[in-house]
Amino acid sequence: PGGKENNIVLTTYLDKPTFDFSIKPHYEILKEKNMIDYDRGIKLGGNKSWIYTGIGARLEWALINYFIDTHIKNGFQFMMIPYMLNYECGFGAGQFPKFTDEVYTINNEDGNKKFLLPTAETALVNLHRGELLKEEELPKKYFAYTPCFRVEAGSNRPDEKGMIRGHQFNKVEMVEYTTPEDGERAWEELLGKAERIVQKLGLHYRLVKLAGGDYAHGMARTYDIEIYIPSMDRYTEVSSVSTALNYQER
C-alpha cells in the first residue's frame, strides 16, 4: 500500500561508486566529447530534444543492438511495430484514459483517435487483442525496439537536464503472453533477463519493489531497476518489470 515513500529496496548489485575527483554531469561530458548536440536538437525539436552525433550515435546504436541480439538469443521474437497507434491500444494496455494527457495525439481526417506510442509495450500487449490463443501456442515471447514519445509536461526540474527526461527516446521492450499457471515463471524470466543486461554493462543498481500507489493500476506487481547517477547523487529507473495477471485479457 501507499505511494513512492513505501517502495522497498530488495537487492543491490555491485558497490555504489565513489570518486576522488569532481564529478561532471553527463550532459557536460557528452557535449565536450561531441557525442550529443543539445543546441541543434532544441533548434530542430524544441525543449527536451537532442541529437546523437558521431561516436555518440554509434554508442546508442551499439546498445540497442546489444539488447536486440541478447533477446533473440534468449528466444524472444523481434517485432518492428507501428509508431502510430489507435486509441484501442492505449485502452487495452490499461494506460488510457488515465494517461491520455501524457501522449502526443494525432488529428486524422477520418476522425479516428491516434497517438504516438509512449512505449512499445502499448503495442505489444495488443498484438492478440480480440484473438483466442490455444494453450499449446503459449508462451509467446516478443520484443520490440522503438523510439518512444512522451509529453513530459511539468518535468522541468533543474536536475533533469540533458537526457534524464525527453520527448523522444529509444527503448527496447519485452512482453510475454502465457497461462496463469506459468505466470510466475514468466515474471522471473523477464526480471532475470532485465537484471542480467544491466549487470553485463557493469553498472551498480538497486532492485526496488514498488508500492501499490506507485505503479500502473492495470498491473499486479512492478519491480524497478534503478541505476545510480553520481553527479545527481540519486537513483533513476532504467528498466521496469511488471505482471498484469489477467488484466489485459479481460
Side-chain angles (χ1 to χ4, degrees):
K4 190 180 294 288
E5 70 280 358
N6 288 342
N7 290 351
I8 300 171
V9 177
L10 300 176
T11 61
T12 59
Y13 179 76
L14 300 179
D15 295 327
K16 182 188 292 187
T18 57
F19 304 90
D20 57 2
F21 53 85
S22 179
I23 303 170
K24 290 184 178 181
H26 72 279
Y27 50 85
E28 287 187 12
I29 297 172
L30 293 170
K31 196 169 183 178
E32 289 173 4
K33 300 298 182 181
N34 295 316
M35 298 172 73
I36 295 283
D37 191 331
Y38 291 107
D39 295 334
R40 291 185 178 89
I42 292 172
K43 179 170 70 173
L44 297 184
N47 190 32
K48 301 183 188 298
S49 300
W50 58 82
I51 300 171
Y52 295 99
T53 59
I55 192 66
R58 292 175 62 188
L59 176 59
E60 176 77 356
W61 204 245
L63 284 169
I64 292 168
N65 278 319
Y66 162 55
F67 299 150
I68 290 172
D69 290 345
T70 299
H71 294 329
I72 290 174
K73 289 176 183 176
N74 288 332
F76 282 69
Q77 183 177 351
F78 187 17
M79 309 291 282
M80 296 290 285
I81 56 178
Y83 302 159
M84 185 169 62
L85 305 176
N86 54 44
Y87 183 86
E88 287 77 13
C89 286
F91 184 79
Q95 296 163 354
F96 290 175
K98 183 176 181 181
F99 298 115
T100 51
D101 292 338
E102 297 183 18
V103 301
Y104 287 101
T105 55
I106 300 167
N107 294 323
N108 298 290
E109 293 181 359
D110 59 8
N112 293 326
K113 292 182 179 180
K114 292 188 177 180
F115 63 97
L116 295 176
L117 59 75
T119 170
E121 171 199 341
T122 313
L124 291 176
V125 299
N126 279 276
L127 283 176
H128 298 289
R129 187 179 72 224
E131 301 176 25
L132 291 176
L133 301 178
K134 296 179 180 179
E135 187 170 347
E136 56 267 26
E137 297 179 82
L138 303 175
K140 287 185 176 292
K141 303 178 182 181
Y142 300 116
F143 79 94
Y145 153 70
T146 64
C148 301
F149 307 91
R150 298 186 186 179
V151 173
E152 295 291 359
S155 57
N156 292 310
R157 290 165 37 176
D159 61 349
E160 291 180 341
K161 288 183 178 180
M163 299 161 60
I164 300 301
R165 286 185 184 271
H167 294 306
Q168 177 183 326
F169 58 94
N170 295 314
K171 190 177 181 186
V172 177
E173 186 94 23
M174 293 183 289
V175 162
E176 187 165 345
Y177 292 75
T178 192
T179 63
E181 296 78 14
D182 191 45
E184 191 64 24
R185 192 269 326 150
W187 158 266
E188 295 291 344
E189 178 182 24
L190 292 174
L191 181 61
K193 292 187 186 315
E195 285 198 78
R196 281 191 290 276
I197 277 181
V198 181
Q199 290 170 3
K200 288 182 179 179
L201 292 173
L203 298 173
H204 161 66
Y205 71 85
R206 65 185 189 183
L207 182 64
V208 179
K209 180 180 181 181
L210 301 193
D214 195 31
Y215 58 78
H217 73 278
M219 297 301 166
R221 177 174 43 174
T222 296
Y223 287 5
D224 279 358
I225 296 173
E226 300 179 345
I227 62 167
Y228 179 69
I229 301 180
S231 63
M232 300 170 63
D233 191 28
R234 85 176 205 205
Y235 289 87
T236 297
E237 178 247 321
V238 294
S239 184
S240 184
V241 181
S242 298
T243 178
L245 298 182
N246 64 350
Y247 180 88
Q248 281 128 355
E249 177 192 11
R250 289 187 282 109

